[in-house]
């Protein structure tokens, strides 16, 4: 029998500041990837407001430093750090992991790319899958010991409603056999990030690591920079959120005390998502994104891909 759906007092209109009000993260250490723009900034700001030491893991260090100074000035928290991280570059990920010292209480896998033209990493991996899933898979696995050392830690894996039309095609995750479809590739990468939460939580719960997936909702950010006017015309009529609202579900999963030990689930609008259906086309989680068999298969494929890359 499945566990009952987890609900909170918060809603789609709640902000990250609403969620973190009254939460004390003093002494805790957090990493937010992609924290120099969009909802990553507001996620980091909310964690800093609650007293956490926050590392902004970013590709553009200069932009990260500007964001860090903004967060310091608005929160009076000086414990804001910036570190270079390119999730499409396995060398960059390895360097970030090697440089990390001590326990890690919160990891928000927020960074991502969307609807990119067909692009491949040096390994030949499709860029969206490589960045959104494999990059965060390698990062989180590399930080496993630091997360376990925290005693009780949380990982948030950002997904998207785009997953609902895109079950994993395990035989061709890199679009080598299929014609490349940039929207489908994005959707599959976000199915992957949801499946990651399922399997990571199963494997690591005994280490005190809780992993959940978050759909932040529709927010106008740099993530949409590759979308054309035609793309936007074909999108459903989303109820767009502010970045502060978009960050709320991530912050909830990272901080809310009542969520301690509750993992392997998919949340949106600050509550565990209902099952996706035709009646609610812009809400819910598809069965293929929380299927434990698919999650285990993806985990093994990811391990194999990273191992092949190291041997190359």
């Amino acid at each position: 029998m499945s566990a009952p759906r987890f609900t909170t007092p918060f809603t789609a209109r709640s902000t990250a500041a609403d969620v973190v009000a009254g939460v004390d993260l003093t002494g805790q250490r957090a990493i937010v990837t992609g924290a120099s723009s969009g909802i990553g900034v507001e996620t980091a700001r909310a964690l800093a407001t609650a007293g956490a030491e926050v590392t902004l893991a970013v590709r553009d260090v200069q932009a990260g430093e500007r964001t860090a100074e903004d967060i310091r000035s608005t929160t009076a928290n000086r414990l804001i750090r910036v570190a270079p991280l390119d999730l499409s570059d396995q060398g960059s990920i390895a360097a970030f992991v090697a440089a990390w010292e001590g326990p890690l209480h919160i990891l928000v896998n927020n960074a991502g790319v969307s609807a990119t033209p067909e692009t491949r990493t040096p390994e030949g991996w499709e860029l969206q899958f490589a960045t959104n899933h494999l990059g965060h898979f390698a990062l989180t696995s590399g930080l496993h010991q630091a997360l376990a050392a925290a005693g009780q830690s949380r990982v948030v894996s950002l997904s998207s409603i785009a997953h609902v039309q895109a079950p994993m095609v395990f035989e061709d995750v890199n679009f080598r056999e299929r014609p490349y479809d940039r929207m489908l590739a994005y959707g599959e990468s976000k199915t992957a990030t949801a499946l990651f939460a399922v399997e990571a939580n199963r494997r690591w719960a005994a280490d005190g690591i809780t992993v959940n997936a978050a759909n932040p909702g529709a927010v106008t950010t740099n993530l949409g920079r590759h979308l054309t006017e035609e793309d936007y015309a074909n999108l459903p009529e989303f109820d767009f959120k502010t970045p502060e609202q978009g960050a709320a579900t991530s912050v909830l999963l990272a901080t809310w005390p009542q969520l301690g030990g509750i993992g392997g689930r998919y949340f949106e609008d600050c509550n565990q998502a209902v099952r996706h259906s035709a009646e609610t086309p812009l809400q819910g989680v598809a069965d293929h994104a929380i299927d434990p068999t698919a999650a285990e298969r993806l985990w093994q494929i990811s391990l194999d891909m990273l191992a092949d890359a190291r041997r190359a």
Side-chain angles (χ1 to χ4, degrees), residues 164-185:
V164 299
Q165 302 297 333
M168 294 301 305
V169 178
F170 288 111
E171 297 78 15
D172 190 24
V173 295
N174 286 304
F175 283 82
R176 291 194 175 104
E177 306 299 327
R178 298 175 282 168
Y180 180 69
D181 181 321
R182 60 202 180 97
M183 303 300 281
L184 183 60

Side-chain angles (χ1 to χ4, degrees), residues 70-83:
D70 173 56
I71 292 174
R72 293 184 195 110
S73 65
T74 56
T75 66
N77 183 342
R78 307 305 298 176
L79 300 176
I80 313 301
R81 321 214 182 275
V82 179

Side-chain angles (χ1 to χ4, degrees), residues 104-105 140 143-155 197 200-212 261-264:
L104 174 61
H105 302 82
T140 313
L143 292 170
H144 173 263
Q145 286 188 327
L147 289 161
Q152 295 292 326
S153 59
R154 301 193 190 183
V155 178
N201 193 77
R202 184 186 74 82
R203 288 173 177 257
W204 297 343
D207 299 325
I209 304 169
T210 299
V211 190
N212 284 294
I262 294 174

Side-chain angles (χ1 to χ4, degrees), residues 22-99:
V23 173
D24 185 3
L25 300 180
T26 303
Q28 295 199 25
R29 305 173 77 209
I31 295 170
V32 181
T33 68
S36 62
S37 66
I39 64 174
V41 175
E42 301 310 324
T43 300
R45 193 189 313 277
L47 299 177
T49 298
E53 173 193 310
V54 185
T55 295
L56 314 182
V58 296
R59 283 185 300 176
D60 184 338
V61 173
Q62 286 187 325
E65 292 290 359
R66 290 193 295 270
T67 300
E69 190 50 45
D70 173 56
I71 292 174
R72 293 184 195 110
S73 65
T74 56
T75 66
N77 183 342
R78 307 305 298 176
L79 300 176
I80 313 301
R81 321 214 182 275
V82 179
L85 177 65
D86 182 345
L87 287 158
S88 69
D89 180 343
Q90 288 295 312
S92 174
I93 296 166
F96 182 95
V97 169

Side-chain angles (χ1 to χ4, degrees), residues 88-91 120-125 130 174 176 305 309-310 312:
S88 69
D89 180 343
Q90 288 295 312
R120 299 195 175 273
T121 67
E123 298 86 356
W125 300 334
N174 286 304
R176 291 194 175 104
M305 290 175 69
R310 286 192 291 269

